[in-house]
Amino acid sequence: VFPNKISTEQQSLMLVKRLLAVAVSCITYLRGIFPESAYGTRYMDDVSVKILREDKNCPGSTQLVKWMLGCYDALQKKYFNYWICLQTITECYHFKFKYTQNGPLLDFSSKNKRNDSTITCADTKKASILLIRKIYVLMQNLSPLPNDVCLTMKLFYYDEVTPSDYQPPGFKEGECEGMIFEGEPMYLNVGEVPTPFHMLKVKVTTEKQRMENVDKSILKHGETSMPLEVLRVDRDDPEEE
C-alpha cells in the first residue's frame, strides 16, 4: 500500500486510491454488506485487512467495484470533491478529498494545521494505519444494520473545474442535492490522511441510538488504545455548511 516515498502527484494519487479501496472494503466487510467470498485478505503494514473484489456469485460486490473505478476516474481528473456511501438512510460514510493543480496545498480547515513541506511519507503511513484502525474499532462496535440494508453512492464535484456534462463510468446525474436522514443523527470525525498533494478526510453519520449502544470503554481503551475524542461529535464544520 505504501510507496517508499511520495515525491510526485502520481505516487500520491495511487496511495489515495488504495487507501480508499481499503476503507470502503473494511466498512462493507465489518457491516456485513457482502459475503466472505467477496473479499480477499491483504496486509497494510502489520494490519490484516479485507479487500473487496469482483465475485460472480455476488453481483452487489461487482457493482461496487465498478463504482469505485468511476470514483478513481473523477479523482484522477481532479473533479472529485467528496462522495457519500449510504447504507440505508440511517448510516452514511463521507469521504472528502482535496488536491490542487499546482502542487501541494493542505488548507483543509484542520485543527492540526501544519506546513505542507513537513509532511513526510512516514506521517502519511502513520495517519493511514490509524484511520483504518479507527474504522475497525467503530464498525465492530456499532449496533447491527437492518436486514433490508441497501447501499448506494452519491458523488459531489468541484463545480468550478468539472464540466457540466461530466459523469464518471457507472454513474448518472443525480436528481437531488440532499438526503433525508431518519432518526437523530450523530456526526463523527473518524480521521484524515495528508500527503504532499492530497488530503482524504473520513466522517460517519449514524443514528444516535446506534452509538448509545456502543461500550464507551471499548472506544477509550480498545485494542488500538485510541481515545474517544478521535470519534468526536462534529456539529460545526465550516466545510459542511
Side-chain angles (χ1 to χ4, degrees), residues 118-131:
T118 66
I119 296 172
T120 66
C121 191
D123 293 330
T124 300
K125 180 177 180 179
K126 181 179 179 181
S128 300
I129 293 175
L130 185 59
L131 173 66

Side-chain angles (χ1 to χ4, degrees), residues 14-139:
M14 183 59 66
L15 174 64
V16 172
K17 286 180 178 180
R18 289 174 177 174
L19 189 57
L20 182 59
V22 172
V24 172
S25 298
C26 287
I27 290 167
T28 56
Y29 179 78
L30 292 169
R31 298 306 273 149
I33 304 300
F34 302 119
E36 185 80 26
S37 62
Y39 299 87
T41 301
R42 296 290 185 272
Y43 289 89
M44 195 167 132
D45 204 43
D46 61 341
V47 180
S48 175
V49 295
K50 295 292 184 178
I51 300 295
L52 190 67
R53 60 188 178 189
E54 293 186 78
D55 179 4
K56 63 182 180 181
N57 297 318
C58 181
S61 69
T62 300
Q63 180 65 62
L64 184 53
V65 169
K66 290 179 179 178
W67 285 348
M68 293 294 294
L69 295 176
C71 292
Y72 292 166
D73 183 82
L75 189 60
Q76 190 159 335
K77 289 181 168 68
K78 299 184 180 180
Y79 296 161
F80 212 173
N81 184 349
Y82 68 99
W83 64 264
I84 301 177
C85 176
L86 307 173
Q87 297 184 356
T88 76
I89 49 178
T90 64
E91 198 163 287
C92 306
Y93 297 89
H94 310 242
F95 291 80
K96 188 154 190 173
F97 306 86
K98 192 157 189 174
Y99 37 81
T100 69
Q101 303 261 152
N102 302 312
L105 175 64
L106 291 182
D107 177 17
F108 204 73
S109 299
S110 172
K111 292 181 175 61
N112 301 311
K113 291 185 178 180
R114 54 188 302 175
N115 189 289
D116 303 338
S117 62
T118 66
I119 296 172
T120 66
C121 191
D123 293 330
T124 300
K125 180 177 180 179
K126 181 179 179 181
S128 300
I129 293 175
L130 185 59
L131 173 66
I132 297 305
R133 285 176 171 168
K134 288 177 185 178
I135 290 175
Y136 263 74
V137 169
L138 180 60
M139 296 300 101

Side-chain angles (χ1 to χ4, degrees), residues 147-162:
N147 292 328
D148 59 347
V149 64
C150 178
L151 184 151
T152 189
M153 192 181 290
K154 193 173 185 71
L155 308 188
F156 294 82
Y157 308 102
Y158 287 106
D159 292 337
E160 62 273 18
V161 296
T162 307

